[in-house]
Amino acid sequence: AVKVAHYVGKTPKYRKYHEALPEFKKTLAEEYLNQAKANAYLMVDKAYKCAGNNESMAFFQKVAGDHFRYAFEAATYQLKDLEDGIKFKKKMVRLKMEAEKIKNGPNKPIDENKSEKMMRIDPKIEVDMEEIKKELEYFKSKALKCYSFALHKAEKGLISANPTRLSCSLNYAVF
């Protein structure tokens, strides 16, 4: 859903929703991140502790890794949305400055300071981007740790054709 919302904003057909889309995407991503984290911790803190054998231990760790990966993907789209917003703002400023050059003619210089001021990024957005980058590293490391542990448990006691072992191998390999 987060990925779809990200790309909807780039589709001309949905431009009429442009005003509401940023807040919708932000809310969607935050809710998704919170749910993914809650699910991951549920698997690690509760379900894993009830696991009675290597297969169930591997399965619960794999599922926890999956949810950390989902959180990683949602945070990735949050970061992309912020980066896209900055690119859009810079593009609009450049277009506005070009229009001003045409309007003023060749004899009147453009105020470069005005352009620089308009291109400045809101410090709050910069802080948000740094926080998201930290979250990305956290989710990535947690997912890899869960996948690695799941794969270790799966390889320790399951035959190579076991579905849980295969899914642990696949998810670890693709992430």
Side-chain angles (χ1 to χ4, degrees):
V2 175
K3 185 177 183 178
V4 169
H6 173 76
Y7 287 108
V8 160
K10 296 176 180 273
T11 308
K13 177 177 164 182
Y14 297 104
R15 294 249 196 265
K16 61 185 172 187
Y17 304 110
H18 183 72
E19 298 272 328
L21 213 51
E23 189 61 34
F24 170 74
K25 289 192 294 186
K26 183 179 179 186
T27 302
L28 180 66
E30 286 172 358
E31 289 178 8
Y32 190 80
L33 278 168
N34 290 335
Q35 189 62 54
K37 286 191 284 189
N39 291 346
Y41 288 118
L42 180 67
M43 290 294 116
V44 172
D45 295 338
K46 303 240 176 172
Y48 179 78
K49 291 177 181 171
C50 299
N53 57 35
N54 280 345
E55 184 169 13
S56 57
M57 288 178 187
F59 176 76
F60 291 133
Q61 283 292 321
K62 182 200 84 68
V63 172
D66 290 343
H67 285 283
F68 281 121
R69 187 184 82 227
Y70 303 152
F72 176 85
E73 290 169 356
T76 299
Y77 284 104
Q78 277 187 316
L79 185 60
K80 283 181 181 181
D81 284 339
L82 290 175
E83 289 169 344
D84 288 350
I86 291 169
K87 286 177 191 173
F88 179 77
K89 178 181 179 178
K90 288 181 178 182
K91 181 179 179 181
M92 296 310 294
V93 169
R94 280 193 299 274
L95 290 172
K96 185 174 182 174
M97 297 310 286
E98 287 175 21
E100 198 171 307
K101 278 182 188 176
I102 292 168
K103 179 182 155 192
N104 293 341
N107 297 333
K108 189 173 180 189
I110 300 296
D111 183 2
E112 295 297 326
N113 290 334
K114 180 180 174 184
S115 172
E116 285 179 30
K117 286 179 187 176
M118 290 170 57
M119 286 220 190
R120 283 192 192 132
I121 300 167
D122 181 353
K124 184 185 178 323
I125 290 175
E126 289 178 329
V127 169
D128 289 348
M129 289 175 73
E130 287 306 311
E131 287 177 13
I132 292 170
K133 287 176 185 176
K134 287 176 188 172
E135 282 185 330
L136 283 170
E137 283 304 311
Y138 173 78
F139 295 140
K140 181 180 177 181
S141 70
K142 292 297 272 187
L144 288 172
K145 184 177 178 181
C146 288
Y147 284 149
S148 178
F149 189 77
L151 190 57
H152 170 75
K153 286 291 183 186
E155 289 173 342
K156 194 173 181 182
L158 304 175
I159 63 169
S160 58
N162 180 288
T164 299
R165 182 173 173 176
L166 290 170
S167 67
C168 289
S169 298
L170 175 67
N171 288 19
Y172 183 76
V174 298
F175 189 66

